[in-house]
């Protein structure tokens, strides 16, 4: 009995092989089955909203980025819903390789200069030997240059550092990301509680169409800098048009550098202290 | 019983072998496309195209990954995959067809021949009939096949938003070439 079944299976296997041979296309496609493919475009931009996404640009691409966060919309018509006032960050970023991405920027919030390096450690893929997630390491350094006449600060006193492990997964139109974060300040004020802040960010996006996506991002601080700070929440839209990505957002954060917006946000989203803002990214293929 | 079975299996195996011998496969075929639009020209090449020809029946097959197309501008490549061809949903472009009037074509003799391929092209999950002239160049050791045709972006349900309509042409010129070892 067992032998018969075995024989039957062999015959079936061979006859199906015959079939495949008969259909040229099917036999070609059988060769391509299980080929490993990287999952691209988990997010549209290198920023989820305020913070970084796992994405980097491809080798040789330069990205010029302009970001604004306006005043709070509860200022009403008198302040044109916050548009009278704006924090700005201008940044220039470059992809050294497909995995390594570096950037410099200047944020008007506390006149902060920042530099960062991002490295794609893992890339989500499909097919044989596939990787279920993408992971990117981010290290950012910021220098606060706002004049402080009352205190004589050394250069190192003005530095702060952020390290993040960004982990994401894309499911067709849905992408999720978690961001374990460590922010370190060399010097803190008298009212502040801690030099080191651990935070966990969560976020995601859903694509509505090929060019428009809704994004959400939230950073929870396990121990805040002091009792006046709040957790940064942001909701935004990504709109893509050829070489540009426009990100429009509503957030309680005004800063655009990780160490600042994660730990120094003071507005309360649910009290209406919401800022409208945007990031515009323009890419150039440099080499 | 057992030996009969074995004989049958061997016979089957022999048959598949015989069929396989009539089939030539090129695993490094080249497909490229070019579109000229008011704003920018778009050009991409895929050098990992699988092509097959069954010399006995005159049937043809082509299969390629959309992600195998490479552009000069990497962002263009991302948009091509993500926004237009939706390559994670429709990973491949394929062609399946036959050479019309194959009885009058002898690809075993060296020389240059022109024939017509008639079949079905699948791009972006949409199947469309395709008739195209194929140039065959047969040498002692190889059979080369070359073709060029035009495809309509709209016919394959590839949407182009009005915002970028000036950047992308409605028709795309496609070229493909294969070199089969005999």
């Amino acid at each position: 009995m067992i032998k018969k079944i075995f024989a039957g299976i062999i015959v079936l296997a061979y006859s199906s092989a015959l079939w495949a041979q008969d259909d040229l296309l099917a036999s070609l496609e059988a060769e391509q089955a299980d080929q490993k493919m990287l999952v691209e475009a988990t997010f549209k931009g290198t920023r989820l909203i305020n913070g970084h996404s796992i994405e980097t640009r491809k080798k040789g691409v330069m990205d010029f980025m302009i970001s604004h966060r306006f005043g709070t919309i509860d200022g009403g018509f008198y302040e044109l819903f916050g548009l009278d006032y704006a924090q700005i960050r201008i940044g220039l970023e470059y992809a050294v390789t497909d995995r390594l991405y570096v950037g410099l920027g200047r944020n008007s919030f506390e006149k902060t200069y920042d530099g960062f390096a991002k490295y794609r450690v893992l890339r989500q893929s499909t097919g044989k030997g596939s990787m279920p997630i993408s992971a990117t390491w981010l290290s950012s350094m910021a220098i606060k240059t706002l004049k402080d006449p009352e205190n004589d600060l050394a250069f190192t006193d003005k530095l702060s550092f952020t390290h993040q492990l960004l982990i994401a997964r894309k499911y067709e139109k849905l992408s999720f990301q978690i961001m374990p974060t460590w922010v370190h300040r060399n010097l803190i004020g008298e009212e502040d509680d801690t030099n080191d802040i651990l935070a966990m960010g969560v976020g995601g996006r859903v694509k509505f169409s090929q060019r428009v996506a809704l994004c959400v991002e939230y950073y929870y601080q396990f121990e805040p800098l002091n009792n006046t700070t709040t957790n940064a929440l942001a909701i935004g839209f990504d709109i893509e048009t050829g070489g540009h990505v426009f990100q429009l957002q509503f957030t309680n954060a005004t800063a655009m550098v990780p160490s600042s917006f994660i730990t120094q946000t003071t507005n309360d989203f649910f009290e209406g202290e919401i800022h409208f803002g945007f990031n515009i990214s323009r890419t150039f293929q440099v080499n | 019983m057992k030996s009969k079975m074995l004989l049958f299996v061997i016979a089957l195996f022999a048959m598949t072998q015989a069929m396989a011998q009539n089939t030539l496969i090129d695993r490094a075929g080249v497909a490229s496309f070019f579109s000229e639009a008011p704003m920018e020209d778009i050009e991409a090449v895929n050098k990992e195209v699988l092509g097959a020809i069954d010399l006995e029946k005159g049937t043809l097959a082509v299969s390629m990954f959309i992600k195998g197309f490479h552009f000069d501008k990497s962002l263009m490549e991302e948009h091509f995959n993500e926004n237009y061809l939706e390559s994670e949903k429709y990973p491949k472009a394929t062609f399946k067809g036959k050479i019309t009037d194959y009885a009058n074509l002898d690809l075993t003799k060296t020389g240059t021949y022109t024939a017509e391929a008639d079949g079905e092209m699948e791009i972006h999950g949409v199947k469309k009939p395709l008739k195209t002239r194929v140039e065959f160049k047969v040498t002692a050791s190889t059979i080369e096949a070359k073709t060029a045709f035009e495809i309509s972006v709209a016919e394959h349900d590839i949407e182009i938003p009005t915002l970028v309509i000036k950047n992308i042409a409605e028709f795309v010129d496609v070229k493909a070439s294969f070199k089969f070892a005999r």
Side-chain angles (χ1 to χ4, degrees), chain A:
Chain A
M1 180 64 196
I2 289 170
K3 264 186 191 166
K4 264 188 189 166
I5 291 173
F6 185 62
I9 288 171
I10 288 178
V11 170
L12 264 174
Y14 272 104
S15 55
S16 66
L18 257 178
W19 258 105
Q21 215 67 43
D22 200 39
D23 188 337
L24 267 188
L25 183 57
S27 62
L28 284 188
E29 293 202 288
E31 280 194 24
Q32 289 172 318
D34 252 15
Q35 187 151 328
K36 191 174 169 180
M37 291 271 170
L38 288 178
V39 172
E40 304 281 352
T42 304
F43 298 98
K44 285 204 192 290
T46 57
R47 304 302 194 285
L48 182 48
I49 299 178
N50 289 316
H52 282 266
S53 73
I54 54 131
E55 295 294 341
T56 59
R57 297 291 176 201
K58 289 283 178 348
K59 186 184 175 185
V61 172
M62 184 166 273
D63 192 336
F64 179 56
M65 206 166 163
I66 301 175
S67 308
H68 278 58
R69 299 293 181 270
F70 296 101
T72 54
I73 55 173
D74 62 1
F77 186 70
Y78 179 67
E79 291 185 352
L80 201 58
F81 305 96
L83 297 192
D84 282 353
Y85 166 88
Q87 293 282 1
I88 304 163
R89 181 180 178 276
I90 300 169
L92 199 58
E93 303 169 0
Y94 180 72
V96 182
T97 69
D98 281 355
R99 288 174 183 265
L100 180 63
Y101 192 59
V102 294
L104 291 169
R106 203 264 191 190
N107 189 175
S108 59
F109 179 83
E110 293 184 334
K111 302 193 188 298
T112 306
Y113 289 85
D114 70 289
F116 70 83
K118 251 169 123 169
Y119 190 79
R120 300 194 68 147
V121 184
L122 301 174
R123 291 186 286 183
Q124 190 184 337
S125 57
T126 56
K128 203 175 179 183
S130 67
M131 176 60 60
I133 56 160
S134 289
T136 299
W137 182 267
L138 170 85
S139 284
S140 154
M141 184 171 90
I143 307 153
K144 185 172 98 174
T145 65
L146 185 70
K147 280 179 182 161
D148 186 355
E150 288 164 29
N151 299 302
D152 185 22
L153 297 181
F155 175 78
T156 52
D157 293 338
K158 299 172 185 173
L159 297 179
S160 63
F161 303 88
T162 308
H163 303 287
Q164 292 188 292
L165 180 62
L166 312 166
I167 302 166
R169 179 165 166 87
K170 179 184 185 182
Y171 302 87
E172 268 189 57
K173 292 183 188 310
L174 283 174
S175 300
F176 297 99
Q177 184 172 287
I178 55 168
M179 306 80 103
T181 303
W182 170 38
V183 177
H184 173 81
R185 273 197 174 66
N186 277 357
L187 186 75
I188 53 171
E190 277 171 21
E191 70 283 7
D192 297 336
D193 297 330
T194 173
N195 291 73
D196 294 281
I197 293 159
L198 295 178
M200 176 60 89
V202 291
R205 72 124 198 226
V206 53
K207 262 175 91 173
F208 285 136
S209 74
Q210 299 305 352
R211 268 149 280 273
V212 181
L214 174 73
C215 301
V216 182
E217 181 193 75
Y218 178 71
Y219 276 92
Y220 177 80
Q221 303 170 86
F222 293 102
E223 190 189 357
L225 186 63
N226 59 53
N227 56 19
T228 65
T229 68
T230 53
N231 293 328
L233 171 66
I235 297 169
F237 288 95
D238 283 4
I239 301 164
E240 185 180 50
T241 63
H244 293 86
V245 178
F246 293 93
Q247 296 183 295
L248 308 177
Q249 64 275 129
F250 293 96
T251 173
N252 58 336
T254 51
M256 286 149 271
V257 171
S259 59
S260 308
F261 87 84
I262 296 170
T263 66
Q264 287 177 281
T265 293
T266 52
N267 288 323
D268 188 333
F269 195 91
F270 298 100
E271 294 287 324
E273 292 166 343
I274 300 168
H275 306 264
F276 173 64
F278 63 78
N279 303 334
I280 296 175
S281 140
R282 176 74 176 118
T283 57
F284 305 90
Q285 189 87 37
V286 181
N287 57 46

Side-chain angles (χ1 to χ4, degrees), chain B residues 48-85:
Chain B
E48 299 155 321
V49 180
L50 292 191
I53 180 166
D54 184 329
L55 290 176
E56 194 186 4
K57 295 179 201 153
T59 53
L60 304 165
V62 176
S63 180
M64 71 196 84
F65 282 111
I66 298 300
K67 279 192 177 171
F69 280 100
H70 297 298
F71 294 66
D72 281 344
K73 287 186 182 175
S74 58
L75 198 68
M76 219 184 240
E77 188 170 317
E78 186 183 311
H79 292 164
F80 171 75
N81 281 289
E82 185 74 4
N83 298 346
Y84 300 105
L85 274 289

